Amino acid sequence: MTRRTAMGVLALAGAFGSYTYFKRQRGINAAAALYAEPLAAPSGVLDVFHLGHSLVGRDMPAMLAQLAGAGHRYDSQLGWGASLRDHWEPDVPVNGFAEENAHDRFRPAKEAIGSGDYDAVVLTEMVEITDAIRYHDSADYLARWAGLAWEANSQTRIYLYETWHHTDDNAGWLARVDRDLRDHWQGDMKYPALVMGKAPIHLIPAGQVKAAFVRAVAAQGGLDGVASVVDLMARNADGTVDTIHFNDLGAYLVALTHFAVLYHRSPMGLPHQLNRADGTAAHAPSAEMAALMQRTVWEVIARHPETGVAV
């Protein structure tokens, strides 16, 4: 490489870096303006659409409906590890589409979100989040889905559901949850999406809640058989830990988080003995554990104005 070529490459890299910084800063400024004032609390039960994959699943929305009470309605479109791009593009197959949507709560996503029928739309990106950002244009497709909802009904509230990564991640599960919200969910995805479109996008910080609960349990030396994040995860057929999918306890914690954000209500005192989507009884936390989960949810939401909840 000649000296002139090298200088050109450095100049181009510098220009790209400046552009990226400027774009991110615009997103931060847009976020500061958007989240300066909380949303008004809803006056009644909600109609909610969930778009995503198995970290939404069937059981968590069913638990949310039980927490919310009579009149709460929900539909969904899911896949196996599906990205927002996969769900959007008609020529991109959604893995597990037939299996995950074989239930009476399925509604095609573009039809549903474009109908304006829903009070809230919850959008879920695939994990690994860094791969979603690098290869699946997360910010662009978040803006597209949010725009579709906003154009159909400007009163629809749009949320990004922050999930998590595999529990055996080499960087450390808690360390990554702490870092990834700022760097990726917000910095690389939600803030750029705010700049790309007009639609406001709020946050359901389930990853943050899960991490805070794990820390709270660890500080007590464990509680009712839960000592770490793996005790909130499902088990594979051979008995090994499923490093990404929640069990019933994890689903309950995530449902509490959705409830508190969507309804602007403390989850303290909510029932903890719930059913799965198929009507069978879920493995319930003890009353003591449920109370710790509920308290943790509300404490985390109080730290995150991007939820839109006034606490």
Side-chain angles (χ1 to χ4, degrees):
M1 181 184 293
T2 66
R3 183 171 181 273
R4 178 176 295 182
T5 301
M7 291 177 63
V9 169
L10 290 172
L12 182 61
F16 179 77
S18 298
Y19 171 76
T20 301
Y21 171 81
F22 177 71
K23 185 177 178 181
R24 177 173 290 206
Q25 193 60 47
R26 283 182 63 200
I28 292 171
N29 294 340
L34 172 61
Y35 306 125
E37 295 293 332
L39 297 168
S43 58
V45 289
L46 303 175
D47 292 342
V48 180
F49 190 83
H50 301 267
L51 178 65
H53 46 73
S54 54
L55 297 191
V56 177
R58 302 187 193 184
D59 294 337
M60 187 280 291
M63 290 183 178
L64 169 60
Q66 293 166 70
L67 296 171
H72 177 99
R73 185 176 70 84
Y74 69 94
D75 297 303
S76 67
Q77 179 175 303
L78 306 174
W80 292 341
S83 68
L84 293 174
R85 184 204 67 175
D86 295 345
H87 282 297
W88 181 274
E89 295 294 348
D91 297 330
V92 175
V94 175
N95 290 332
F97 187 92
E99 295 86 347
E100 288 299 313
N101 297 303
H103 55 89
D104 60 4
R105 298 291 182 174
F106 166 68
R107 187 178 179 188
K110 281 192 176 176
E111 170 199 306
I113 294 175
S115 70
D117 292 343
Y118 297 91
D119 302 299
V121 170
V122 181
L123 303 170
T124 315
E125 185 53 290
M126 63 167 273
V127 288
E128 166 67 45
I129 189 60
T130 56
D131 290 341
I133 291 163
R134 185 177 297 115
Y135 303 117
H136 292 253
D137 298 323
S138 290
D140 179 30
Y141 284 95
L142 176 60
R144 294 191 196 196
W145 283 112
L148 179 64
W150 188 251
E151 289 165 10
N153 181 354
S154 63
Q155 300 305 306
T156 296
R157 293 180 175 180
I158 304 156
Y159 296 90
L160 174 63
Y161 164 23
E162 176 225 7
T163 60
W164 50 86
H165 46 278
H166 286 270
T167 57
D168 59 357
D169 191 277
N170 290 333
W173 191 83
L174 286 170
R176 279 211 53 193
V177 172
D178 292 345
R179 183 191 71 203
D180 285 1
L181 176 65
R182 180 189 66 250
D183 290 353
H184 300 312
W185 296 96
Q186 294 171 322
D188 290 333
M189 187 177 176
K190 187 152 69 68
Y191 293 167
L194 293 177
V195 176
M196 292 177 186
K198 298 181 295 183
I201 305 168
H202 287 79
L203 179 72
I204 297 179
Q208 303 305 303
V209 165
K210 202 168 186 178
F213 177 72
V214 167
R215 287 186 165 111
V217 166
Q220 298 185 20
L223 177 64
D224 296 336
V226 175
S228 71
V229 66
V230 300
D231 298 312
L232 299 176
M233 310 306 285
R235 294 277 170 171
N236 298 313
D238 62 1
T240 58
V241 174
D242 183 323
T243 60
I244 194 68
H245 298 105
F246 46 54
N247 59 17
D248 288 347
L249 296 178
Y252 178 72
L253 183 62
V254 173
L256 288 173
T257 308
H258 278 69
F259 171 86
V261 173
L262 294 174
Y263 281 97
H264 295 226
R265 286 169 50 193
S266 167
M268 292 299 296
L270 286 175
H272 60 280
Q273 295 176 322
L274 303 177
N275 292 332
R276 304 183 184 100
D278 64 5
T280 60
H283 175 61
S286 67
E288 184 180 3
M289 184 184 295
L292 180 59
M293 287 179 166
Q294 293 163 1
R295 184 166 62 251
T296 301
V297 167
W298 203 234
E299 288 172 352
V300 170
I301 287 172
R303 298 197 296 267
H304 288 279
E306 296 191 12
T307 62
V309 179
V311 178

PDB file of all heavy atoms in Angstrom, residues 124-143:
ATOM      1  N   THR A 124     -39.436  -7.938  19.392  1.00  0.00           N
ATOM      2  CA  THR A 124     -38.353  -8.721  19.997  1.00  0.00           C
ATOM      3  C   THR A 124     -37.323  -9.068  18.927  1.00  0.00           C
ATOM      4  O   THR A 124     -37.663  -9.682  17.921  1.00  0.00           O
ATOM      5  CB  THR A 124     -38.899 -10.024  20.601  1.00  0.00           C
ATOM      6  OG1 THR A 124     -40.080  -9.740  21.344  1.00  0.00           O
ATOM      7  CG2 THR A 124     -37.867 -10.682  21.486  1.00  0.00           C
ATOM      8  N   GLU A 125     -36.067  -8.672  19.153  1.00  0.00           N
ATOM      9  CA  GLU A 125     -35.011  -9.004  18.205  1.00  0.00           C
ATOM     10  C   GLU A 125     -34.383 -10.342  18.556  1.00  0.00           C
ATOM     11  O   GLU A 125     -34.446 -10.793  19.701  1.00  0.00           O
ATOM     12  CB  GLU A 125     -33.949  -7.893  18.197  1.00  0.00           C
ATOM     13  CG  GLU A 125     -32.846  -8.059  17.165  1.00  0.00           C
ATOM     14  CD  GLU A 125     -33.346  -8.268  15.730  1.00  0.00           C
ATOM     15  OE1 GLU A 125     -33.902  -9.352  15.453  1.00  0.00           O
ATOM     16  OE2 GLU A 125     -33.166  -7.360  14.903  1.00  0.00           O
ATOM     17  N   MET A 126     -33.786 -10.966  17.563  1.00  0.00           N
ATOM     18  CA  MET A 126     -33.096 -12.236  17.771  1.00  0.00           C
ATOM     19  C   MET A 126     -31.875 -12.049  18.662  1.00  0.00           C
ATOM     20  O   MET A 126     -31.370 -10.937  18.847  1.00  0.00           O
ATOM     21  CB  MET A 126     -32.648 -12.832  16.432  1.00  0.00           C
ATOM     22  CG  MET A 126     -31.641 -11.972  15.678  1.00  0.00           C
ATOM     23  SD  MET A 126     -30.830 -12.810  14.286  1.00  0.00           S
ATOM     24  CE  MET A 126     -29.441 -13.578  15.137  1.00  0.00           C
ATOM     25  N   VAL A 127     -31.410 -13.123  19.226  1.00  0.00           N
ATOM     26  CA  VAL A 127     -30.117 -13.152  19.895  1.00  0.00           C
ATOM     27  C   VAL A 127     -29.281 -14.238  19.207  1.00  0.00           C
ATOM     28  O   VAL A 127     -29.836 -15.204  18.690  1.00  0.00           O
ATOM     29  CB  VAL A 127     -30.274 -13.476  21.401  1.00  0.00           C
ATOM     30  CG1 VAL A 127     -30.870 -12.295  22.132  1.00  0.00           C
ATOM     31  CG2 VAL A 127     -31.113 -14.725  21.641  1.00  0.00           C
ATOM     32  N   GLU A 128     -28.048 -14.002  19.122  1.00  0.00           N
ATOM     33  CA  GLU A 128     -27.124 -13.057  19.673  1.00  0.00           C
ATOM     34  C   GLU A 128     -27.367 -11.641  19.119  1.00  0.00           C
ATOM     35  O   GLU A 128     -27.412 -11.443  17.915  1.00  0.00           O
ATOM     36  CB  GLU A 128     -25.686 -13.534  19.361  1.00  0.00           C
ATOM     37  CG  GLU A 128     -24.560 -12.592  19.545  1.00  0.00           C
ATOM     38  CD  GLU A 128     -24.311 -12.206  20.978  1.00  0.00           C
ATOM     39  OE1 GLU A 128     -24.298 -13.051  21.884  1.00  0.00           O
ATOM     40  OE2 GLU A 128     -24.139 -10.997  21.178  1.00  0.00           O
ATOM     41  N   ILE A 129     -27.486 -10.637  20.013  1.00  0.00           N
ATOM     42  CA  ILE A 129     -27.850  -9.286  19.590  1.00  0.00           C
ATOM     43  C   ILE A 129     -26.779  -8.666  18.697  1.00  0.00           C
ATOM     44  O   ILE A 129     -27.092  -7.938  17.760  1.00  0.00           O
ATOM     45  CB  ILE A 129     -28.146  -8.390  20.816  1.00  0.00           C
ATOM     46  CG1 ILE A 129     -28.732  -7.049  20.375  1.00  0.00           C
ATOM     47  CG2 ILE A 129     -26.924  -8.218  21.706  1.00  0.00           C
ATOM     48  CD1 ILE A 129     -30.035  -7.151  19.604  1.00  0.00           C
ATOM     49  N   THR A 130     -25.505  -8.974  18.945  1.00  0.00           N
ATOM     50  CA  THR A 130     -24.460  -8.407  18.096  1.00  0.00           C
ATOM     51  C   THR A 130     -24.556  -8.947  16.666  1.00  0.00           C
ATOM     52  O   THR A 130     -24.294  -8.220  15.707  1.00  0.00           O
ATOM     53  CB  THR A 130     -23.064  -8.684  18.669  1.00  0.00           C
ATOM     54  OG1 THR A 130     -22.891 -10.097  18.855  1.00  0.00           O
ATOM     55  CG2 THR A 130     -22.880  -7.986  20.007  1.00  0.00           C
ATOM     56  N   ASP A 131     -24.943 -10.218  16.514  1.00  0.00           N
ATOM     57  CA  ASP A 131     -25.149 -10.772  15.174  1.00  0.00           C
ATOM     58  C   ASP A 131     -26.366 -10.143  14.513  1.00  0.00           C
ATOM     59  O   ASP A 131     -26.363  -9.887  13.302  1.00  0.00           O
ATOM     60  CB  ASP A 131     -25.334 -12.284  15.250  1.00  0.00           C
ATOM     61  CG  ASP A 131     -24.057 -13.021  15.614  1.00  0.00           C
ATOM     62  OD1 ASP A 131     -22.965 -12.437  15.462  1.00  0.00           O
ATOM     63  OD2 ASP A 131     -24.149 -14.187  16.048  1.00  0.00           O
ATOM     64  N   ALA A 132     -27.406  -9.912  15.290  1.00  0.00           N
ATOM     65  CA  ALA A 132     -28.607  -9.277  14.743  1.00  0.00           C
ATOM     66  C   ALA A 132     -28.284  -7.893  14.198  1.00  0.00           C
ATOM     67  O   ALA A 132     -28.738  -7.508  13.117  1.00  0.00           O
ATOM     68  CB  ALA A 132     -29.687  -9.187  15.815  1.00  0.00           C
ATOM     69  N   ILE A 133     -27.480  -7.153  14.930  1.00  0.00           N
ATOM     70  CA  ILE A 133     -27.107  -5.802  14.507  1.00  0.00           C
ATOM     71  C   ILE A 133     -26.199  -5.862  13.283  1.00  0.00           C
ATOM     72  O   ILE A 133     -26.384  -5.107  12.319  1.00  0.00           O
ATOM     73  CB  ILE A 133     -26.420  -5.064  15.678  1.00  0.00           C
ATOM     74  CG1 ILE A 133     -27.446  -4.784  16.786  1.00  0.00           C
ATOM     75  CG2 ILE A 133     -25.767  -3.774  15.201  1.00  0.00           C
ATOM     76  CD1 ILE A 133     -26.832  -4.452  18.123  1.00  0.00           C
ATOM     77  N   ARG A 134     -25.240  -6.783  13.291  1.00  0.00           N
ATOM     78  CA  ARG A 134     -24.242  -6.845  12.217  1.00  0.00           C
ATOM     79  C   ARG A 134     -24.813  -7.411  10.924  1.00  0.00           C
ATOM     80  O   ARG A 134     -24.517  -6.902   9.839  1.00  0.00           O
ATOM     81  CB  ARG A 134     -23.058  -7.702  12.683  1.00  0.00           C
ATOM     82  CG  ARG A 134     -21.895  -7.748  11.690  1.00  0.00           C
ATOM     83  CD  ARG A 134     -20.727  -8.549  12.242  1.00  0.00           C
ATOM     84  NE  ARG A 134     -20.167  -7.942  13.429  1.00  0.00           N
ATOM     85  CZ  ARG A 134     -20.190  -8.491  14.656  1.00  0.00           C
ATOM     86  NH1 ARG A 134     -20.743  -9.676  14.833  1.00  0.00           N
ATOM     87  NH2 ARG A 134     -19.658  -7.873  15.678  1.00  0.00           N
ATOM     88  N   TYR A 135     -25.647  -8.432  11.030  1.00  0.00           N
ATOM     89  CA  TYR A 135     -26.067  -9.158   9.829  1.00  0.00           C
ATOM     90  C   TYR A 135     -27.551  -9.013   9.480  1.00  0.00           C
ATOM     91  O   TYR A 135     -27.950  -9.394   8.386  1.00  0.00           O
ATOM     92  CB  TYR A 135     -25.750 -10.648   9.992  1.00  0.00           C
ATOM     93  CG  TYR A 135     -24.297 -10.934  10.277  1.00  0.00           C
ATOM     94  CD1 TYR A 135     -23.903 -11.519  11.477  1.00  0.00           C
ATOM     95  CD2 TYR A 135     -23.309 -10.608   9.345  1.00  0.00           C
ATOM     96  CE1 TYR A 135     -22.567 -11.780  11.746  1.00  0.00           C
ATOM     97  CE2 TYR A 135     -21.970 -10.864   9.606  1.00  0.00           C
ATOM     98  CZ  TYR A 135     -21.601 -11.447  10.805  1.00  0.00           C
ATOM     99  OH  TYR A 135     -20.277 -11.705  11.059  1.00  0.00           O
ATOM    100  N   HIS A 136     -28.361  -8.516  10.403  1.00  0.00           N
ATOM    101  CA  HIS A 136     -29.803  -8.468  10.175  1.00  0.00           C
ATOM    102  C   HIS A 136     -30.373  -7.053  10.230  1.00  0.00           C
ATOM    103  O   HIS A 136     -31.591  -6.890  10.298  1.00  0.00           O
ATOM    104  CB  HIS A 136     -30.521  -9.361  11.184  1.00  0.00           C
ATOM    105  CG  HIS A 136     -30.262 -10.825  10.999  1.00  0.00           C
ATOM    106  ND1 HIS A 136     -31.196 -11.705  10.481  1.00  0.00           N
ATOM    107  CD2 HIS A 136     -29.162 -11.578  11.254  1.00  0.00           C
ATOM    108  CE1 HIS A 136     -30.685 -12.916  10.428  1.00  0.00           C
ATOM    109  NE2 HIS A 136     -29.446 -12.871  10.898  1.00  0.00           N
ATOM    110  N   ASP A 137     -29.512  -6.034  10.228  1.00  0.00           N
ATOM    111  CA  ASP A 137     -29.953  -4.634  10.148  1.00  0.00           C
ATOM    112  C   ASP A 137     -31.014  -4.316  11.194  1.00  0.00           C
ATOM    113  O   ASP A 137     -32.101  -3.803  10.894  1.00  0.00           O
ATOM    114  CB  ASP A 137     -30.487  -4.329   8.752  1.00  0.00           C
ATOM    115  CG  ASP A 137     -29.435  -4.505   7.668  1.00  0.00           C
ATOM    116  OD1 ASP A 137     -28.261  -4.177   7.939  1.00  0.00           O
ATOM    117  OD2 ASP A 137     -29.773  -4.977   6.575  1.00  0.00           O
ATOM    118  N   SER A 138     -30.697  -4.586  12.446  1.00  0.00           N
ATOM    119  CA  SER A 138     -31.678  -4.466  13.518  1.00  0.00           C
ATOM    120  C   SER A 138     -32.330  -3.096  13.613  1.00  0.00           C
ATOM    121  O   SER A 138     -33.554  -2.992  13.767  1.00  0.00           O
ATOM    122  CB  SER A 138     -31.020  -4.792  14.864  1.00  0.00           C
ATOM    123  OG  SER A 138     -30.719  -6.150  14.952  1.00  0.00           O
ATOM    124  N   ALA A 139     -31.521  -2.050  13.570  1.00  0.00           N
ATOM    125  CA  ALA A 139     -32.083  -0.709  13.729  1.00  0.00           C
ATOM    126  C   ALA A 139     -33.062  -0.390  12.606  1.00  0.00           C
ATOM    127  O   ALA A 139     -34.149   0.168  12.835  1.00  0.00           O
ATOM    128  CB  ALA A 139     -30.963   0.327  13.773  1.00  0.00           C
ATOM    129  N   ASP A 140     -32.687  -0.751  11.389  1.00  0.00           N
ATOM    130  CA  ASP A 140     -33.541  -0.499  10.228  1.00  0.00           C
ATOM    131  C   ASP A 140     -34.882  -1.209  10.370  1.00  0.00           C
ATOM    132  O   ASP A 140     -35.949  -0.605  10.184  1.00  0.00           O
ATOM    133  CB  ASP A 140     -32.817  -0.952   8.958  1.00  0.00           C
ATOM    134  CG  ASP A 140     -33.650  -0.737   7.711  1.00  0.00           C
ATOM    135  OD1 ASP A 140     -34.468   0.197   7.674  1.00  0.00           O
ATOM    136  OD2 ASP A 140     -33.492  -1.521   6.754  1.00  0.00           O
ATOM    137  N   TYR A 141     -34.854  -2.490  10.736  1.00  0.00           N
ATOM    138  CA  TYR A 141     -36.107  -3.252  10.803  1.00  0.00           C
ATOM    139  C   TYR A 141     -36.919  -2.915  12.049  1.00  0.00           C
ATOM    140  O   TYR A 141     -38.156  -2.985  12.021  1.00  0.00           O
ATOM    141  CB  TYR A 141     -35.826  -4.745  10.672  1.00  0.00           C
ATOM    142  CG  TYR A 141     -35.521  -5.102   9.232  1.00  0.00           C
ATOM    143  CD1 TYR A 141     -34.212  -5.168   8.768  1.00  0.00           C
ATOM    144  CD2 TYR A 141     -36.552  -5.299   8.315  1.00  0.00           C
ATOM    145  CE1 TYR A 141     -33.930  -5.457   7.440  1.00  0.00           C
ATOM    146  CE2 TYR A 141     -36.283  -5.585   6.986  1.00  0.00           C
ATOM    147  CZ  TYR A 141     -34.976  -5.653   6.553  1.00  0.00           C
ATOM    148  OH  TYR A 141     -34.710  -5.923   5.222  1.00  0.00           O
ATOM    149  N   LEU A 142     -36.255  -2.514  13.126  1.00  0.00           N
ATOM    150  CA  LEU A 142     -37.003  -1.993  14.268  1.00  0.00           C
ATOM    151  C   LEU A 142     -37.764  -0.736  13.860  1.00  0.00           C
ATOM    152  O   LEU A 142     -38.948  -0.571  14.196  1.00  0.00           O
ATOM    153  CB  LEU A 142     -36.053  -1.686  15.421  1.00  0.00           C
ATOM    154  CG  LEU A 142     -36.684  -1.046  16.668  1.00  0.00           C
ATOM    155  CD1 LEU A 142     -37.757  -1.951  17.266  1.00  0.00           C
ATOM    156  CD2 LEU A 142     -35.604  -0.698  17.685  1.00  0.00           C
ATOM    157  N   ALA A 143     -37.104   0.137  13.106  1.00  0.00           N
ATOM    158  CA  ALA A 143     -37.770   1.356  12.628  1.00  0.00           C
ATOM    159  C   ALA A 143     -38.922   1.024  11.688  1.00  0.00           C
ATOM    160  O   ALA A 143     -39.974   1.681  11.722  1.00  0.00           O
ATOM    161  CB  ALA A 143     -36.753   2.264  11.939  1.00  0.00           C
TER     162      ALA A 143
END
